[in-house]
């Protein structure tokens, strides 16, 4: 299964189960947010890692946190989890101040950070789940807990490996175990750092579907980071884009994509293009990329008006070249993210 098929599979599953809006059916709209971040700031000497960030997250929402390297998103997540003390500001999870009462807050939260390194590789899969559930006072002797673990292992394709030592598993399997441990307790909020890292396409689709089900049916609130834009675009209700310690965007995926919607076409010409023609095209249009491979030229051009297409193609044919193809390119979350973080000029070049 390729990435396009994966995206379609998740979308089809979402349609089959009903549209998701970030709120679980039956929840009172007046219920307080599950997560409340207020004026959160963290300074390291002269470096301002996060600067006066505020937002809230409703129950059953899957929130994606995006940002380039060094943007402050890791600092933000660690501050939300109480793993570092902010310079100022507060974080409340389920109404509990994470920094004033971390033990109470931790009982409501599950997390997997930095891949699969937060599990014990010398324990079996099932023993890991029992250990992490036990941290909150849950015992696998309770039939409800053991049944939840079996269901989770089955849904993640781990049931037949439940008694294997984690160190003997593949990287993708270890990643699944890390996620299972984050959900081993009956938590209200899950913080997931790159949850699909190392997974094959089908496992990634299964994982997304399971997270969507937990959010929709059980009201699980999920905060995740991912460098895989297809995961965020398919799964998240909201996206928080962080850059230079500030929130530069906080909205639904569809809204962010529409915000930067500009028609673009990829033109492929078989034949040499003169310097004069290239200069004319660059002068009249916004060229996002220009690649020449032998006698074939591939150009990505942004068009504000679709009526400009005939004039554009005519310029490409001015040197007597043969038009091989003209294809429209639709914007997506990658486009929006790069525009928001100041790298929009190359956003569609590699597609």
């Amino acid at each position: 299964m390729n990435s396009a098929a994966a995206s379609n599979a998740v979308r089809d599953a979402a349609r089959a189960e009903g549209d998701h809006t970030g709120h679980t059916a039956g929840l009172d709209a007046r219920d307080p947010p599950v997560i409340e971040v207020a004026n959160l700031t963290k300074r390291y000497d002269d470096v301002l890692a996060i600067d006066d960030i505020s937002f809230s997250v409703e129950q059953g929402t899957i929130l994606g946190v995006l940002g380039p390297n060094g943007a402050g998103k890791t600092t933000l997540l660690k501050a939300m989890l109480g793993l570092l003390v902010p310079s100022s500001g507060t974080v409340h999870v389920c109404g509990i101040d994470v920094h004033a009462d971390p033990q109470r807050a931790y009982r409501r939260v599950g997390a997997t950070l930095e891949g699969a390194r937060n599990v014990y590789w010398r324990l079996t899969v099932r023993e890991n789940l029992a250990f992490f559930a036990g941290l909150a006072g849950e015992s696998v002797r309770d039939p409800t807990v053991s049944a939840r673990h079996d269901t989770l292992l089955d849904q993640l394709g781990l049931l037949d490996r439940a008694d294997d030592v984690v160190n003997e598993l593949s990287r993708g399997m270890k990643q699944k175990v890390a996620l299972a441990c984050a959900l081993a307790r009956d938590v209200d909020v899950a913080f997931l750092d790159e949850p699909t890292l190392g997974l094959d396409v089908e496992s990634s689709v299964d994982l997304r579907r399971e997270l969507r089900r937990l959010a929709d049916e059980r009201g699980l609130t999920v905060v995740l980071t991912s460098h895989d834009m297809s995961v965020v675009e398919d799964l998240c209700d909201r996206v928080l884009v962080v850059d230079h310690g500030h929130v530069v965007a906080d909205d639904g995926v569809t809204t962010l994509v529409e915000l930067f919607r500009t028609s673009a076409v990829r033109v492929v010409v078989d034949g040499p293009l003169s310097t004069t023609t290239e200069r004319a095209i660059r002068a009249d249009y916004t060229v996002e990329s220009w690649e020449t491979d032998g006698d074939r030229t591939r150009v990505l051009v942004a068009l504000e008006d679709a009526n400009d297409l005939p004039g554009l193609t005519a310029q490409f044919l001015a040197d007597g070249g043969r038009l091989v193809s003209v294809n429209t390119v639709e914007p997506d979350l990658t486009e929006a993210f790069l525009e928001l973080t100041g790298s929009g000029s190359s956003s569609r070049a590699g597609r």
Side-chain angles (χ1 to χ4, degrees):
M1 184 184 294
N2 58 30
S3 59
S7 298
N8 291 335
V10 173
R11 290 191 180 102
D12 291 344
R15 292 191 188 102
E17 296 170 4
D19 184 35
H20 55 269
T21 61
H23 300 277
T24 303
L27 290 178
D28 192 326
R30 295 169 295 180
D31 289 343
V34 173
I35 300 172
E36 292 183 277
V37 177
N39 307 113
L40 200 63
T41 299
K42 179 61 179 179
R43 182 184 294 276
Y44 297 98
D45 296 327
D46 294 334
V47 177
L48 192 59
I50 51 176
D51 183 13
D52 197 32
I53 289 179
S54 298
F55 63 92
S56 61
V57 185
E58 304 297 325
Q59 183 179 358
T61 298
I62 300 182
L63 174 70
V65 179
L66 302 178
N69 292 334
K73 63 181 184 299
T74 300
T75 302
L76 174 61
L77 287 183
K78 288 184 175 180
M80 292 172 68
L81 279 166
L83 298 179
L84 59 80
V85 178
S87 303
S88 60
T90 60
V91 179
H92 286 81
V93 174
C94 300
I96 304 166
D97 189 320
V98 170
H99 300 101
D101 197 351
Q103 289 188 339
R104 280 186 64 212
Y106 290 160
R107 294 192 185 102
R108 314 295 291 272
V109 171
T112 174
L113 301 176
E114 299 179 350
R117 288 182 284 176
N118 60 319
V119 299
Y120 291 95
W121 288 15
R122 294 185 179 182
L123 298 180
T124 68
V125 175
R126 197 183 298 276
E127 287 170 343
N128 265 283
L129 266 65
F131 173 78
F132 283 100
L135 293 178
E138 295 186 359
S139 172
V140 290
R141 294 179 181 177
D142 182 339
T144 303
V145 175
S146 59
R148 183 172 73 244
H149 288 182
D150 283 345
T151 299
L152 184 60
L153 291 172
D154 185 36
Q155 290 166 337
L156 293 175
L158 291 169
L159 193 57
D160 61 343
R161 307 296 300 272
D163 297 315
D164 291 354
V165 175
V166 172
N167 195 43
E168 298 173 355
L169 303 179
S170 67
R171 180 184 178 187
M173 284 283 188
K174 289 173 182 173
Q175 182 70 12
K176 288 184 180 182
V177 175
L179 176 66
C181 289
L183 302 177
R185 297 178 291 121
D186 189 18
V187 297
D188 297 289
V189 183
F191 289 85
L192 308 176
D193 183 23
E194 298 285 351
T196 61
L197 184 68
L199 298 184
D200 58 63
V201 174
E202 291 189 6
S203 296
S204 176
V205 171
D206 290 341
L207 178 57
R208 300 181 217 181
R209 187 177 292 117
E210 177 59 14
L211 288 174
R212 187 72 261 166
R213 186 192 69 79
L214 289 170
D216 291 342
E217 296 180 9
R218 194 165 70 74
L220 178 70
T221 303
V222 179
V223 179
L224 66 85
T225 68
S226 179
H227 284 92
D228 186 341
M229 289 295 181
S230 68
V231 171
V232 177
E233 191 162 6
D234 290 338
L235 185 58
C236 294
D237 302 298
R238 276 173 60 195
V239 176
L240 201 74
V241 181
V242 181
D243 194 22
H244 294 92
H246 299 275
V247 173
V248 296
D250 178 5
D251 217 323
V253 172
T254 302
T255 302
L256 290 178
V257 171
E258 289 294 330
L259 183 63
F260 295 99
R261 179 170 292 279
T262 300
S263 297
V265 294
R266 180 177 287 109
V267 181
V268 180
V269 178
D270 192 5
L273 292 176
S274 66
T275 302
T276 301
T277 297
E278 180 178 349
R279 286 175 178 170
I281 293 172
R282 289 185 179 275
D284 293 342
Y285 301 94
T286 301
V287 175
E288 297 192 357
S289 68
W290 189 292
E291 302 172 358
T292 301
D293 182 10
D295 289 336
R296 182 158 290 188
T297 302
R298 298 175 177 84
V299 183
L300 188 66
V301 181
L303 291 179
E304 297 295 336
D305 189 342
N307 293 325
D308 292 338
L309 184 57
L312 173 65
T313 55
Q315 289 201 40
F316 274 101
L317 299 176
D319 291 329
R322 183 176 66 86
L323 197 64
V324 176
S325 63
V326 179
N327 296 302
T328 59
V329 180
E330 290 297 321
D332 59 12
L333 187 59
T334 303
E335 170 83 1
F337 172 76
L338 292 172
E339 292 283 355
L340 286 164
T341 54
S343 303
S345 61
S346 59
S347 56
R348 287 183 277 206
R351 283 197 246 152

